[in-house]
Amino acid sequence: MKISLLMATYNGEKYIVEQLKSIYNQTVNPDEVLIADDVSNDRTVELIEKFIEQHDLKNWKLMINSSNKGYKKNFYDLIQQATGDVIFLSDQDDVWEKNKIELMTKELEKNAKIKSINAAVKYVDSEQSPIEVKLKPDFYNENLLHYRGNLGFLTSIPLASMIVANITPGCAMCFSKDIKEEFLETYDFTLPHDWHLNLLASIHGGCFFMNKVLVKYRIHANNAIGTKYGSNLRELILNYDRTLRSIGIKENLDILEVLREKYNFNDNSSLQAINYLETRYRFYKRPTIYKYFKMKSFPEYEYTTNKKGRLWDLLAVTRITDLAFKIVKN
């Protein structure tokens, strides 16, 4: 089974060498490593070139984009170039456990049904010190995965769950070449690339979660997508932009409609998840107390919205949040 590893980089000089080392020291090495730098203006390219030269890595290829593409397009182009049977995605600032590629590839080799595997992550700070996260009831993987019941080592994740939210960062996933062409055909750069890949895998009944921590996921100020700790009141208010939220949900609904037309999934759980997103979209467009309680009646609302979020939604009915947003923004 040929293994491809894809890394998108941009101004990652601070942590890039640690990640390169964790890939180099894997118990099973990838057959090809493709790295695309998105026009960094720091020492990222220099450090990667030096690492490749020092270790004489003939199967590692560094490409420098002619212009800044953004992480979605950067990964899309990398996936297009990958030739492996199994494809791993890598960020520039995490650290992998030594047996990550070995464990995940073994499971793909054993079961042709598997289209994607998502390993567990452990949040760490800039110095790799663990960040303690208190797990909510029925949550796993640093509260990224909601699942009722006990997880096995490898657990199938239903499409309905994937419709509502992704379950782990892309750096913790790998996927089979079976869904590569489908991704290249259907991806419209709306969702993060890893979420779209997991959606496709779950449509085929092949999205799985591996209940083992294989990535130290670094939380810092420059994450493209990550968990922010210690947000101040101003940031919390700006984060509650109803217009942006409604646009984001509408975009998600549009791509789900495209996928439904192509793959014709109509199971009740998936349709309920879509109905929940539609209800949430209508609430953010024009919040009313009726729409609030209708949205709140979905079980998905309870496990996708924290206490602070539920309070902001309730306040949105009174338009207090709109006023606070205008004051802070101006």
Side-chain angles (χ1 to χ4, degrees):
M1 180 174 278
K2 184 176 181 180
I3 301 168
S4 294
L5 187 147
L6 314 178
M7 178 188 286
T9 63
Y10 177 69
N11 288 350
E13 66 176 4
K14 192 170 183 180
Y15 307 113
I16 186 70
V17 174
E18 285 182 278
Q19 173 63 327
L20 295 175
K21 285 179 180 177
S22 77
I23 292 170
Y24 177 74
N25 291 323
Q26 289 291 301
T27 54
V28 169
N29 297 124
D31 297 284
E32 68 174 3
V33 175
L34 304 178
I35 305 172
D37 185 79
D38 211 16
V39 200
S40 294
N41 53 32
D42 65 358
R43 296 177 60 236
T44 300
V45 169
E46 176 190 338
L47 292 171
I48 296 170
E49 289 176 335
K50 184 178 179 181
F51 189 89
I52 291 174
E53 183 181 350
Q54 284 180 336
H55 296 86
D56 194 27
L57 299 170
K58 306 293 187 189
N59 61 330
W60 288 40
K61 180 181 179 182
L62 171 63
M63 299 160 285
I64 302 171
N65 299 337
S66 58
S67 60
N68 186 274
K69 300 177 178 180
Y71 78 93
K72 293 178 182 177
K73 184 67 165 64
N74 207 8
F75 269 113
Y76 179 91
D77 290 345
L78 281 167
I79 291 169
Q80 202 166 30
Q81 296 176 66
T83 61
D85 301 298
V86 53
I87 301 168
F88 284 81
L89 305 177
S90 172
D91 291 340
Q92 64 187 8
D93 46 11
D94 306 314
V95 175
W96 290 9
E97 297 298 332
K98 287 185 176 182
N99 58 347
K100 178 177 186 287
I101 291 177
E102 179 182 1
L103 288 180
M104 297 176 78
T105 303
K106 274 184 179 177
E107 295 301 322
L108 269 167
E109 287 177 328
K110 287 193 298 187
N111 187 349
K113 181 183 178 182
I114 297 175
K115 306 305 177 189
S116 73
I117 299 178
N118 300 263
V121 300
K122 176 60 188 172
Y123 289 156
V124 298
D125 64 17
S126 59
E127 303 303 320
Q128 288 195 52
S129 297
I131 296 172
E132 295 307 318
V133 176
K134 184 178 179 181
L135 290 178
K136 298 180 287 186
D138 297 322
F139 272 83
Y140 298 86
N141 195 32
E142 307 290 52
N143 288 325
L144 294 171
L145 171 62
H146 177 265
Y147 188 85
R148 295 191 185 280
N150 296 319
L151 290 174
F153 177 68
L154 206 64
T155 302
S156 176
I157 304 300
L159 175 57
S161 295
M162 199 56 61
I163 285 171
V164 176
N166 203 1
I167 59 174
T168 206
C171 60
M173 80 174 297
C174 69
F175 62 95
S176 165
K177 68 176 182 180
D178 294 349
I179 60 172
K180 173 186 166 180
E181 293 305 320
E182 293 180 32
F183 171 79
L184 295 174
E185 179 187 342
T186 61
Y187 190 50
D188 69 347
F189 304 95
T190 297
L191 297 171
H193 57 286
D194 47 317
W195 190 359
H196 193 104
L197 283 161
N198 273 329
L199 267 174
L200 293 174
S202 60
I203 286 170
H204 295 296
C207 180
F208 286 79
F209 176 73
M210 181 178 284
N211 192 22
K212 184 172 180 63
V213 174
L214 294 178
V215 176
K216 292 177 183 175
Y217 185 75
R218 205 186 302 260
I219 303 295
H220 58 88
N222 297 321
N223 289 85
I225 292 181
T227 300
K228 292 184 178 179
Y229 287 86
S231 295
N232 59 37
L233 180 60
R234 182 177 186 277
E235 290 172 335
L236 289 171
I237 292 172
L238 288 176
N239 186 51
Y240 197 91
D241 184 336
R242 284 199 299 107
T243 301
L244 287 181
R245 288 189 174 209
S246 63
I247 290 172
I249 296 173
K250 183 62 167 63
E251 289 176 341
N252 291 2
L253 287 167
D254 288 344
I255 185 59
L256 285 168
E257 185 59 32
V258 170
L259 294 177
R260 274 191 69 197
E261 289 178 5
K262 182 175 178 62
Y263 297 102
N264 194 32
F265 55 86
N266 288 296
D267 61 286
N268 290 336
S269 296
S270 297
L271 294 181
Q272 176 179 297
I274 292 173
N275 189 15
Y276 163 66
L277 292 182
E278 290 171 341
T279 303
R280 197 175 181 105
Y281 167 69
R282 287 191 289 269
F283 173 81
Y284 286 131
K285 282 288 287 182
R286 187 176 179 82
T288 66
I289 194 68
Y290 170 77
K291 292 176 184 175
Y292 171 76
F293 280 108
K294 184 173 183 181
M295 177 174 68
K296 196 172 181 294
S297 70
F298 286 87
E300 288 87 350
Y301 182 74
E302 291 301 315
Y303 69 76
T304 59
T305 312
N306 58 27
K307 290 180 181 178
K308 203 172 293 181
R310 292 195 287 271
L311 175 60
W312 280 107
D313 286 342
L314 184 57
L315 290 174
V317 175
T318 67
R319 300 303 171 98
I320 290 176
T321 53
D322 288 1
L323 178 60
F325 180 80
K326 288 179 181 177
I327 292 171
V328 169
K329 192 173 183 180
N330 295 328

